[in-house]
Amino acid sequence: MTGQPFPVEAGHIMLFARAIGDENPAYQGESALAPPTFTMASAHYDPDYHLRPKPDEEWFGSGRDAGVMAEGAGGLHAEQHFEYHRPVRAGETLYAHNSTGRSWEKQGRTGRLLFSERITEYRDADGEPVVSAVTVAVVPEGPATPKDAR
Amino acid sequence: MSLSPDDIKVGEIRESVLVDDLKRTRIVQYAGASGDFNPLHTDERFAVDAAGYPGVFAHGMLTMGMTGRVLTDWVGTEALLRYGVRFKAQVWPGDTLTATATVESIEDTPTGPVAHFTLRTVNQDGAEVVSGTAAARLEP
């Protein structure tokens, strides 16, 4: 199979279910089902994922100083959509294929807002689609200091 | 597990308190589980001094993940066909979130009946933080 491998592990599902506060017994045990938003955690397996600090690389969060707002870091998650072709279970490996979807812009309160879609298709070892995910991100044009965000 | 069309009616509503007084630790817990370590969610000093926010705030995906429970407790995880949300406002430490799912329609499809839901999660002030839709397969 091609695509970024995402081994769906029972322990990872347990940690994820705890984090979302869901004690559903279906999310426990060796053949646990994955909660509906679990595929987002494939970020752990993406070697280039930009929101994970890496050894010996500059990280934009705080150390001695407050850190820096990296370009594009002012972006926010605007929408998230999932389509389920079948349930995901512990013990299988999914393969993530990313592509770029639509992009558009809108006039916001303080300037233009740039929206873009990232599409991730998760397929199984046979190449069959399992979950289709669409992430919509929004980035304000101009200085990324949303002082009036609240 | 899936529901039969006799068990669910158009207009029926389920409500669920997702979290009471959300803790920063919980946001960090989600960062660890999801792999999204954006300092906007995990690093108070960055969020305030570098990014200009009042503090760290929850990942949208934490709210979406918690909101999913109102559906999966009702129809079961395996029955879900679609689940999508818009993030309407930020969720802050201290927030209490309540999700509501409403059955909007039940559709007969070639593969059996499908229930369509609208979803809404509000904070303690009644402000909507997430709105969304979902569809779930019912027993034929």
Side-chain angles (χ1 to χ4, degrees):
Chain A
M1 268 309 295
T2 59
Q4 178 63 50
F6 171 31
V8 178
E9 294 167 349
H12 194 183
I13 291 176
M14 178 185 75
L15 301 179
F16 190 90
R18 279 183 186 161
I20 62 171
D22 196 333
E23 296 182 343
N24 189 336
Y27 302 150
Q28 295 167 25
E30 274 177 33
S31 57
L33 274 175
T37 60
F38 178 73
T39 46
M40 295 305 282
S42 66
H44 272 297
Y45 298 92
D46 177 352
D48 301 320
Y49 188 56
H50 65 294
L51 295 175
R52 179 179 64 243
K54 299 176 188 73
D56 303 324
E57 282 184 30
E58 189 65 23
W59 177 244
F60 65 106
S62 81
R64 284 185 197 88
D65 301 317
V68 290
M69 197 69 177
E71 195 182 335
L76 293 173
H77 201 166
E79 294 180 37
Q80 181 66 39
H81 302 275
F82 295 101
E83 188 182 346
Y84 306 102
H85 306 287
R86 67 160 175 82
V88 175
R89 275 190 189 278
E92 65 176 327
T93 297
L94 300 180
Y95 298 83
H97 299 255
N98 285 303
S99 59
T100 304
R102 297 174 305 139
S103 61
W104 65 97
E105 51 181 75
K106 220 166 91 174
Q107 196 61 36
R109 258 184 316 121
T110 55
R112 280 198 309 164
L113 299 169
L114 312 176
F115 291 85
S116 61
E117 284 180 343
R118 192 184 75 242
I119 298 166
T120 308
E121 294 283 352
Y122 295 90
R123 295 179 176 273
D124 64 17
D126 299 323
E128 295 298 322
V130 180
V131 176
S132 308
V134 181
T135 298
V136 181
V138 57
V139 180
E141 197 183 43
T145 47
K147 299 273 187 203
D148 63 343
R150 191 159 191 178
Chain B
M1 168 190 145
S2 68
L3 289 176
S4 97
D6 297 335
D7 297 329
I8 189 163
K9 287 176 184 53
V10 173
E12 202 175 341
I13 292 171
R14 290 284 171 97
E15 192 177 278
S16 178
V17 176
L18 305 175
V19 65
D20 179 18
D21 186 8
L22 177 72
K23 301 296 193 283
R24 285 172 184 75
T25 324
R26 180 72 177 282
I27 301 171
V28 170
Q29 190 179 4
Y30 182 78
S34 70
D36 179 349
F37 297 95
N38 191 333
L40 284 176
H41 306 303
T42 56
D43 184 336
E44 186 84 2
R45 188 160 178 211
F46 170 86
V48 174
D49 294 340
Y53 284 98
V56 292
F57 54 93
H59 305 72
M61 288 311 301
L62 171 56
T63 307
M64 184 179 189
M66 292 192 294
T67 298
R69 211 177 77 215
V70 74
L71 285 171
T72 53
D73 282 354
W74 194 357
V75 302
T77 302
E78 290 167 282
L80 271 191
L81 295 170
R82 283 189 296 103
Y83 175 30
V85 301
R86 277 181 181 210
F87 301 106
K88 306 294 285 281
Q90 278 148 330
V91 170
W92 302 96
D95 279 0
T96 291
L97 301 180
T98 305
T100 308
T102 305
V103 184
E104 294 296 331
S105 63
I106 294 173
E107 177 193 11
D108 274 317
T109 77
T111 52
V114 171
H116 295 272
F117 299 86
T118 52
L119 298 156
R120 186 167 188 265
T121 296
V122 298
N123 65 18
Q124 63 284 356
D125 301 320
E128 194 170 68
V129 296
V130 150
S131 69
T133 58
R137 191 184 292 113
L138 302 177
E139 275 171 22

